[in-house]
Short mmCIF file of all heavy atoms in Angstrom, two decimals:
data_model
loop_
_atom_site.label_atom_id
_atom_site.label_comp_id
_atom_site.label_asym_id
_atom_site.label_seq_id
_atom_site.Cartn_x
_atom_site.Cartn_y
_atom_site.Cartn_z
N MET R 1 74.49 84.13 133.83
CA MET R 1 75.56 83.63 132.98
C MET R 1 75.12 83.90 131.51
O MET R 1 74.00 83.68 131.12
CB MET R 1 75.67 82.12 133.14
CG MET R 1 76.57 81.72 134.29
SD MET R 1 77.02 80.02 134.33
CE MET R 1 75.75 79.15 133.47
N THR R 2 76.12 84.35 130.76
CA THR R 2 75.97 84.71 129.34
C THR R 2 76.86 83.86 128.51
O THR R 2 77.95 83.49 129.02
CB THR R 2 76.17 86.17 129.12
OG1 THR R 2 75.27 86.97 130.01
CG2 THR R 2 75.87 86.55 127.72
N ASP R 3 76.45 83.49 127.37
CA ASP R 3 77.31 82.65 126.45
C ASP R 3 77.69 83.46 125.28
O ASP R 3 76.86 84.27 124.67
CB ASP R 3 76.50 81.43 125.91
CG ASP R 3 76.27 80.48 127.07
OD1 ASP R 3 77.16 79.64 127.36
OD2 ASP R 3 75.18 80.54 127.73
N TYR R 4 78.97 83.38 124.85
CA TYR R 4 79.51 84.12 123.74
C TYR R 4 80.13 83.17 122.73
O TYR R 4 80.72 82.11 123.16
CB TYR R 4 80.54 85.07 124.24
CG TYR R 4 80.01 86.20 125.05
CD1 TYR R 4 79.98 86.00 126.46
CD2 TYR R 4 79.55 87.33 124.53
CE1 TYR R 4 79.46 87.06 127.29
CE2 TYR R 4 79.00 88.39 125.28
CZ TYR R 4 79.01 88.22 126.65
OH TYR R 4 78.48 89.25 127.43
N LEU R 5 80.12 83.47 121.46
CA LEU R 5 80.82 82.82 120.46
C LEU R 5 82.02 83.68 120.06
O LEU R 5 81.79 84.79 119.71
CB LEU R 5 79.93 82.54 119.22
CG LEU R 5 80.16 81.44 118.34
CD1 LEU R 5 80.03 80.02 119.11
CD2 LEU R 5 79.13 81.39 117.18
N TYR R 6 83.22 83.10 120.19
CA TYR R 6 84.43 83.86 119.93
C TYR R 6 85.30 83.16 118.88
O TYR R 6 85.65 81.96 119.07
CB TYR R 6 85.18 84.10 121.27
CG TYR R 6 86.44 84.94 121.12
CD1 TYR R 6 86.40 86.16 120.54
CD2 TYR R 6 87.59 84.44 121.63
CE1 TYR R 6 87.57 86.92 120.42
CE2 TYR R 6 88.79 85.21 121.50
CZ TYR R 6 88.74 86.46 120.90
OH TYR R 6 89.94 87.20 120.82
N TYR R 7 85.64 83.83 117.82
CA TYR R 7 86.39 83.22 116.74
C TYR R 7 87.89 83.30 117.01
O TYR R 7 88.44 84.43 117.29
CB TYR R 7 86.05 83.93 115.44
CG TYR R 7 86.66 83.29 114.28
CD1 TYR R 7 86.04 82.19 113.62
CD2 TYR R 7 87.91 83.73 113.73
CE1 TYR R 7 86.61 81.59 112.50
CE2 TYR R 7 88.45 83.14 112.63
CZ TYR R 7 87.80 82.05 111.97
OH TYR R 7 88.33 81.44 110.92
N TRP R 8 88.52 82.20 116.88
CA TRP R 8 90.01 82.07 116.87
C TRP R 8 90.49 81.74 115.51
O TRP R 8 89.87 80.90 114.87
CB TRP R 8 90.49 80.97 117.84
CG TRP R 8 90.81 81.40 119.27
CD1 TRP R 8 90.63 82.65 119.80
CD2 TRP R 8 91.31 80.60 120.22
NE1 TRP R 8 90.96 82.61 121.14
CE2 TRP R 8 91.40 81.37 121.41
CE3 TRP R 8 91.73 79.27 120.30
CZ2 TRP R 8 91.88 80.88 122.61
CZ3 TRP R 8 92.20 78.78 121.49
CH2 TRP R 8 92.33 79.58 122.65
N LYS R 9 91.56 82.38 115.09
CA LYS R 9 92.16 82.02 113.81
C LYS R 9 92.74 80.61 113.93
O LYS R 9 93.17 80.20 115.07
CB LYS R 9 93.27 82.99 113.42
CG LYS R 9 92.75 84.40 113.09
CD LYS R 9 93.84 85.32 112.74
CE LYS R 9 93.20 86.71 112.49
NZ LYS R 9 94.31 87.74 112.28
N MET R 10 92.84 79.90 112.90
CA MET R 10 93.34 78.53 112.92
C MET R 10 94.81 78.46 113.47
O MET R 10 95.17 77.50 114.14
CB MET R 10 93.27 77.89 111.54
CG MET R 10 93.71 76.44 111.47
SD MET R 10 92.91 75.29 112.69
CE MET R 10 91.45 74.94 111.78
N ASP R 11 95.53 79.52 113.19
CA ASP R 11 96.97 79.59 113.70
C ASP R 11 96.96 79.46 115.25
O ASP R 11 97.83 78.82 115.77
CB ASP R 11 97.66 80.85 113.28
CG ASP R 11 98.00 80.91 111.78
OD1 ASP R 11 97.86 79.89 111.13
OD2 ASP R 11 98.25 81.97 111.26
N GLU R 12 96.01 80.19 115.92
CA GLU R 12 95.93 80.12 117.41
C GLU R 12 95.60 78.70 117.82
O GLU R 12 96.21 78.19 118.77
CB GLU R 12 94.90 81.08 117.91
CG GLU R 12 95.25 82.50 117.64
CD GLU R 12 94.06 83.43 118.01
OE1 GLU R 12 93.70 83.53 119.17
OE2 GLU R 12 93.50 84.10 117.00
N VAL R 13 94.68 78.06 117.13
CA VAL R 13 94.26 76.71 117.49
C VAL R 13 95.44 75.79 117.40
O VAL R 13 95.73 74.96 118.23
CB VAL R 13 93.06 76.28 116.63
CG1 VAL R 13 92.73 74.82 116.89
CG2 VAL R 13 91.86 77.10 116.91
N LYS R 14 96.14 75.86 116.19
CA LYS R 14 97.27 75.00 115.91
C LYS R 14 98.41 75.23 117.01
O LYS R 14 99.06 74.27 117.36
CB LYS R 14 97.76 75.25 114.57
CG LYS R 14 96.93 74.63 113.52
CD LYS R 14 97.50 74.93 112.09
CE LYS R 14 96.59 74.31 111.02
NZ LYS R 14 97.13 74.60 109.65
N THR R 15 98.57 76.49 117.43
CA THR R 15 99.60 76.74 118.48
C THR R 15 99.27 76.00 119.78
O THR R 15 100.09 75.39 120.34
CB THR R 15 99.73 78.23 118.77
OG1 THR R 15 100.15 78.86 117.55
CG2 THR R 15 100.71 78.53 119.82
N TYR R 16 97.96 76.06 120.20
CA TYR R 16 97.56 75.36 121.39
C TYR R 16 97.77 73.80 121.27
O TYR R 16 98.26 73.18 122.14
CB TYR R 16 96.09 75.65 121.71
CG TYR R 16 95.88 76.69 122.73
CD1 TYR R 16 95.64 78.00 122.35
CD2 TYR R 16 95.83 76.39 124.07
CE1 TYR R 16 95.44 79.01 123.28
CE2 TYR R 16 95.57 77.37 125.04
CZ TYR R 16 95.42 78.70 124.63
OH TYR R 16 95.14 79.65 125.58
N ILE R 17 97.35 73.30 120.11
CA ILE R 17 97.49 71.88 119.87
C ILE R 17 98.97 71.49 119.83
O ILE R 17 99.38 70.50 120.43
CB ILE R 17 96.78 71.52 118.57
CG1 ILE R 17 95.23 71.66 118.75
CG2 ILE R 17 97.11 70.06 118.15
CD1 ILE R 17 94.48 71.48 117.51
N HIS R 18 99.78 72.25 119.05
CA HIS R 18 101.20 71.93 118.96
C HIS R 18 101.90 72.00 120.40
O HIS R 18 102.77 71.14 120.76
CB HIS R 18 101.86 72.95 118.07
CG HIS R 18 103.39 72.72 117.96
ND1 HIS R 18 103.92 71.75 117.27
CD2 HIS R 18 104.41 73.45 118.47
CE1 HIS R 18 105.27 71.80 117.31
NE2 HIS R 18 105.55 72.86 118.05
N ARG R 19 101.54 72.89 121.18
CA ARG R 19 102.13 73.00 122.56
C ARG R 19 101.55 72.05 123.54
O ARG R 19 102.01 71.87 124.63
CB ARG R 19 101.95 74.45 123.11
CG ARG R 19 102.69 75.49 122.39
CD ARG R 19 102.46 76.82 123.04
NE ARG R 19 103.19 77.91 122.37
CZ ARG R 19 102.99 79.15 122.64
NH1 ARG R 19 102.11 79.58 123.61
NH2 ARG R 19 103.57 80.10 121.99
N ASN R 20 100.43 71.38 123.17
CA ASN R 20 99.73 70.37 123.96
C ASN R 20 99.35 71.05 125.30
O ASN R 20 99.38 70.49 126.34
CB ASN R 20 100.63 69.15 124.21
CG ASN R 20 99.78 67.98 124.76
OD1 ASN R 20 98.59 67.85 124.40
ND2 ASN R 20 100.32 67.19 125.61
N GLU R 21 98.87 72.29 125.14
CA GLU R 21 98.41 73.09 126.30
C GLU R 21 96.98 72.84 126.65
O GLU R 21 96.16 72.58 125.71
CB GLU R 21 98.61 74.54 126.07
CG GLU R 21 100.06 75.03 126.03
CD GLU R 21 100.20 76.50 125.79
OE1 GLU R 21 99.09 77.23 125.80
OE2 GLU R 21 101.30 76.97 125.68
N THR R 22 96.61 72.99 127.86
CA THR R 22 95.21 73.01 128.26
C THR R 22 94.69 74.41 128.03
O THR R 22 95.43 75.42 127.97
CB THR R 22 95.00 72.62 129.76
OG1 THR R 22 95.78 73.42 130.58
CG2 THR R 22 95.34 71.15 129.97
N LEU R 23 93.39 74.46 127.83
CA LEU R 23 92.70 75.80 127.62
C LEU R 23 92.57 76.52 128.91
O LEU R 23 91.51 76.41 129.58
CB LEU R 23 91.37 75.57 126.88
CG LEU R 23 90.61 76.84 126.60
CD1 LEU R 23 91.38 77.76 125.66
CD2 LEU R 23 89.20 76.45 125.90
N ASP R 24 93.58 77.20 129.39
CA ASP R 24 93.54 77.89 130.61
C ASP R 24 93.12 79.39 130.57
O ASP R 24 92.76 79.97 131.55
CB ASP R 24 94.97 77.80 131.28
CG ASP R 24 95.34 76.39 131.64
OD1 ASP R 24 94.48 75.51 131.70
OD2 ASP R 24 96.56 76.09 131.76
N TYR R 25 93.18 79.87 129.33
CA TYR R 25 92.83 81.31 129.17
C TYR R 25 92.52 81.60 127.72
O TYR R 25 92.87 80.80 126.82
CB TYR R 25 94.06 82.20 129.60
CG TYR R 25 95.18 82.19 128.63
CD1 TYR R 25 95.35 83.16 127.67
CD2 TYR R 25 96.14 81.18 128.69
CE1 TYR R 25 96.39 83.12 126.74
CE2 TYR R 25 97.18 81.11 127.79
CZ TYR R 25 97.33 82.11 126.83
OH TYR R 25 98.36 82.07 125.97
N ALA R 26 91.95 82.73 127.49
CA ALA R 26 91.77 83.37 126.16
C ALA R 26 92.03 84.82 126.35
O ALA R 26 91.74 85.34 127.47
CB ALA R 26 90.38 83.05 125.58
N ALA R 27 92.45 85.44 125.26
CA ALA R 27 92.74 86.90 125.42
C ALA R 27 92.07 87.58 124.25
O ALA R 27 92.04 87.11 123.17
CB ALA R 27 94.28 87.15 125.37
N SER R 28 91.55 88.81 124.53
CA SER R 28 90.93 89.64 123.49
C SER R 28 90.79 91.05 123.93
O SER R 28 90.59 91.35 125.16
CB SER R 28 89.50 89.04 123.22
OG SER R 28 88.82 89.86 122.25
N LYS R 29 90.74 91.93 122.92
CA LYS R 29 90.36 93.30 123.22
C LYS R 29 88.91 93.51 123.27
O LYS R 29 88.37 94.57 123.67
CB LYS R 29 91.02 94.19 122.23
CG LYS R 29 90.61 93.99 120.77
CD LYS R 29 91.31 94.85 119.82
CE LYS R 29 90.94 94.51 118.40
NZ LYS R 29 91.66 95.21 117.41
N GLN R 30 88.11 92.45 122.90
CA GLN R 30 86.64 92.54 122.91
C GLN R 30 85.91 92.19 124.16
O GLN R 30 84.74 92.51 124.37
CB GLN R 30 86.13 91.60 121.76
CG GLN R 30 86.52 92.08 120.38
CD GLN R 30 85.87 91.14 119.33
OE1 GLN R 30 84.64 91.02 119.30
NE2 GLN R 30 86.67 90.53 118.49
N PHE R 31 86.58 91.45 125.04
CA PHE R 31 85.96 91.02 126.26
C PHE R 31 85.29 92.13 127.07
O PHE R 31 84.15 91.98 127.50
CB PHE R 31 86.90 90.17 127.18
CG PHE R 31 87.33 88.90 126.62
CD1 PHE R 31 88.49 88.30 127.13
CD2 PHE R 31 86.68 88.29 125.56
CE1 PHE R 31 88.97 87.05 126.55
CE2 PHE R 31 87.17 87.08 125.04
CZ PHE R 31 88.27 86.42 125.56
N VAL R 32 85.93 93.18 127.27
CA VAL R 32 85.40 94.31 128.05
C VAL R 32 84.26 95.02 127.25
O VAL R 32 83.13 95.21 127.79
CB VAL R 32 86.44 95.34 128.44
CG1 VAL R 32 85.85 96.57 129.09
CG2 VAL R 32 87.47 94.65 129.39
N SER R 33 84.53 95.30 126.03
CA SER R 33 83.49 96.01 125.19
C SER R 33 82.23 95.23 124.97
O SER R 33 81.18 95.82 124.79
CB SER R 33 84.13 96.47 123.81
OG SER R 33 84.45 95.38 123.09
N LYS R 34 82.35 93.91 124.98
CA LYS R 34 81.16 93.06 124.72
C LYS R 34 80.45 92.72 126.06
O LYS R 34 79.38 92.07 126.05
CB LYS R 34 81.57 91.82 124.02
CG LYS R 34 82.05 92.00 122.64
CD LYS R 34 80.93 92.61 121.75
CE LYS R 34 81.51 92.80 120.31
NZ LYS R 34 80.45 93.36 119.41
N GLY R 35 81.03 93.10 127.20
CA GLY R 35 80.32 92.90 128.48
C GLY R 35 80.60 91.57 129.14
O GLY R 35 79.75 91.14 129.91
N VAL R 36 81.65 90.85 128.79
CA VAL R 36 81.92 89.55 129.42
C VAL R 36 82.12 89.73 130.90
O VAL R 36 82.84 90.70 131.37
CB VAL R 36 83.20 88.92 128.77
CG1 VAL R 36 83.58 87.66 129.47
CG2 VAL R 36 82.93 88.65 127.32
N ASN R 37 81.53 88.86 131.68
CA ASN R 37 81.62 88.87 133.18
C ASN R 37 82.08 87.58 133.73
O ASN R 37 82.10 86.57 132.99
CB ASN R 37 80.29 89.30 133.78
CG ASN R 37 79.88 90.69 133.49
OD1 ASN R 37 80.62 91.62 133.88
ND2 ASN R 37 78.73 90.89 132.79
N LEU R 38 82.38 87.54 135.05
CA LEU R 38 82.69 86.32 135.68
C LEU R 38 81.54 85.28 135.50
O LEU R 38 80.40 85.66 135.52
CB LEU R 38 82.96 86.56 137.14
CG LEU R 38 84.04 87.52 137.45
CD1 LEU R 38 84.31 87.56 138.97
CD2 LEU R 38 85.33 87.09 136.76
N ASN R 39 81.86 84.06 135.35
CA ASN R 39 80.92 82.93 135.14
C ASN R 39 80.28 82.81 133.80
O ASN R 39 79.46 81.97 133.53
CB ASN R 39 79.84 82.91 136.31
CG ASN R 39 80.54 82.73 137.62
OD1 ASN R 39 81.39 81.85 137.80
ND2 ASN R 39 80.06 83.50 138.59
N ASP R 40 80.58 83.82 132.94
CA ASP R 40 80.14 83.68 131.56
C ASP R 40 80.89 82.60 130.78
O ASP R 40 81.98 82.23 131.28
CB ASP R 40 80.33 85.00 130.74
CG ASP R 40 79.33 86.07 131.19
OD1 ASP R 40 78.37 85.81 131.90
OD2 ASP R 40 79.55 87.29 130.79
N THR R 41 80.37 82.11 129.71
CA THR R 41 81.01 81.03 129.00
C THR R 41 81.39 81.53 127.64
O THR R 41 80.56 82.21 126.95
CB THR R 41 80.02 79.74 128.78
OG1 THR R 41 79.70 79.29 130.06
CG2 THR R 41 80.75 78.66 127.95
#
């Protein structure tokens, strides 16, 4: 397991909060290039 720090713009955070959504996913063009794998955090 590997841990990553990933920056979200405040607009993204506010959208999640406004929609009252659970954190079910995150999307990025960096996940593959940075080597993110299953079970990573």
Side-chain angles (χ1 to χ4, degrees):
M1 280 192 333
T2 303
D3 292 274
Y4 295 91
L5 207 60
Y6 181 54
Y7 186 85
W8 267 5
K9 293 179 182 174
M10 183 55 83
D11 290 347
E12 294 173 64
V13 173
K14 287 179 179 178
T15 298
Y16 263 92
I17 292 171
H18 177 73
R19 292 181 182 174
N20 199 29
E21 291 182 5
T22 54
L23 180 59
D24 296 338
Y25 72 95
S28 177
K29 61 184 176 186
Q30 295 184 55
F31 293 160
V32 173
S33 65
K34 295 296 182 177
V36 174
N37 290 300
L38 301 183
N39 299 315
D40 286 348
T41 301

